[in-house]
Structures are given as structure tokens and as C-alpha cells.
Amino acid sequence: EMVMTQSPATLSVSPGERATLSCRASQSVSSNLAWYQQKPGQAPRLLIYGASTRATGVPARFSGSGSGTEFTLTISSLQSEDFAVYYCQQYYNWWTFGQGTKVEIK
Amino acid sequence: QVQLQESGPGLVKPSQTLSLTCTVSGGSISSGSYFWTWLRQPAGKGLEWIGTIYTSGSTNYSPSLKSRVTISVDASKNQFSLKLSSVTAADTAVYYCAGGNFLVVVAATLTWFDPWGHGTLVTVSS
């Protein structure tokens, strides 16, 4: 079974600082990796697909990289609206998500 | 743009069948632009894919839920539905419907979920 592991579980960052979130797959998923942002009480919002392509309307401060089993989501300069939980999602035989990284205000 | 809205009972008794409907607006469910998916999220936990139905009518279900899940489409109403049988308290969650996207690139077919419905909380309790 494909397992997605996100780290860290919680990331404490000051506004304006850079945040780097990691996602590791137990087997290679090529570039079939997406990132979502979820705020309390809201549905997930697509940020990145294909490991590095920003979805429509997503600010340029969000970037994705990686392939195979190691992926990274970088937020270059955190804004107040970026504090949320971030999930990675892969497709192998079916879809699975990481357990999430909570980005909180330091 | 395409929007999704979940509907259905918020409370289901143990051992009964959970039934939810997702209404698609802003586009035809049969257009082939999306495949249609159900996901869920227990309180304070991560996201779980439940199953998917394609324009062809074929389905894919999570191996852990496959014996209890049925997803179907009613094109005349622009809706797709989820049925989950023999529910227990472990099935209590916010249930989301979503449109799945795909893109064929060299050596891979990329997939992702967008748009999403707002989600509906289903509690399993007597």
C-alpha cells in the first residue's frame, strides 16, 4: 500500500518568513503529486498539481518541486492567510493523502 | 465554473446505509471534463479517498471500503451519489464530493481534485 508521509507535523513560522514542507512517498509516484491547503471549516483548496504546476489563481509565493518519492512545497514569504493545514496527495493505484502539516504562527 | 454541493442526512444509525448526493452546477456531469469522486475527513484527521466514477460509468473504490461502497450517476439530474452500507461510528466524518482532473504527460497521467464541494458532516449514532 502506498503511504505518504509529511513532515513536520507542525511548522511554526513568523509572517514574512519562508516555509518548507516535505512529503515522501513509499514508492515512486513520478510527478503525480498534488498539494492542497485547508483552513478550519473549509474544503481543501488545490494549490499545486503535477508536483510543480500552480493551480489557477494560486499566488506565485507557492511553489512545488520534486519527483519520484521526495516532494517539497515552499511558501516563500508567509502571509497571514497562509496559516493552515497542507496536504499532499498522490495517485498510484488509487489516491492517498499525507497526514498533513499544520503551518502555525510563531 | 463548475460548482459542487453535497446533500443528505446528517445523522445515520449504526448498521444502516449512508446516502449522499452531489449536485453539479455550471457544467454537464457527462461532459468528460472531470471524473467524479467522494472523499471524507473524520474530525481532526486527514483526508481519505472513498471512490470515483468515470463518464463511462466505470468505478474505482478504496480497497478498505470497497465491500460497502456504491457510487452512481444520475445524468438527468446532473448528480452523482454515494451509498455506504453497514455504517459504524468510524464512518462519522465530513464527506466531500469533488471533480477529478487528469492530464496525460510523458510517461504519466497526472490527476488531482478540483473543484470540491463545501462538505457535509455525517454522524453515525443511535
Side-chain angles (χ1 to χ4, degrees), chain B residues 21-99:
Chain B
T21 296
C22 182
T23 301
V24 179
S25 59
S28 170
I29 199 169
S30 303
S31 70
S33 298
Y34 299 96
F35 54 89
W36 306 105
T37 293
W38 286 97
L39 308 100
R40 69 181 182 179
Q41 185 173 37
K45 296 188 178 180
L47 295 156
E48 180 183 20
W49 171 71
I50 298 172
T52 288
I53 188 164
Y54 300 91
T55 306
S56 64
S58 65
T59 53
N60 257 357
Y61 299 134
S62 167
S64 64
L65 298 171
K66 186 174 184 177
S67 62
R68 300 194 290 130
V69 173
T70 303
I71 296 176
S72 59
V73 166
D74 186 338
S76 67
K77 294 182 179 178
N78 230 33
Q79 295 175 335
F80 63 104
S81 298
L82 168 70
K83 291 188 185 300
L84 181 65
S85 64
S86 305
V87 297
T88 68
D91 296 310
T92 295
V94 174
Y95 284 74
Y96 295 100
C97 58

Side-chain angles (χ1 to χ4, degrees), chain A residues 6-19:
Chain A
Q6 290 187 242
S7 60
T10 303
L11 187 61
S12 298
V13 186
S14 299
E17 288 189 339
R18 182 186 196 90

Side-chain angles (χ1 to χ4, degrees), chain A residues 30-32 34 36 38 42-44 46 49-50 87 89 91 93-95 97, chain B residues 35 39 41 45-47 49 52 54 63 96 109-114 116-117:
Chain A
S30 184
S31 56
N32 209 335
Y36 301 84
Q38 188 178 35
Q42 295 185 16
L46 175 71
Y49 64 91
Y87 293 97
Q89 166 250 303
Y91 176 80
N93 290 321
W94 56 84
W95 292 272
F97 293 80
Chain B
F35 54 89
L39 308 100
Q41 185 173 37
K45 296 188 178 180
L47 295 156
W49 171 71
T52 288
Y54 300 91
Y96 295 100
T109 299
L110 307 179
T111 67
W112 62 94
F113 300 120
D114 182 51
W116 294 63

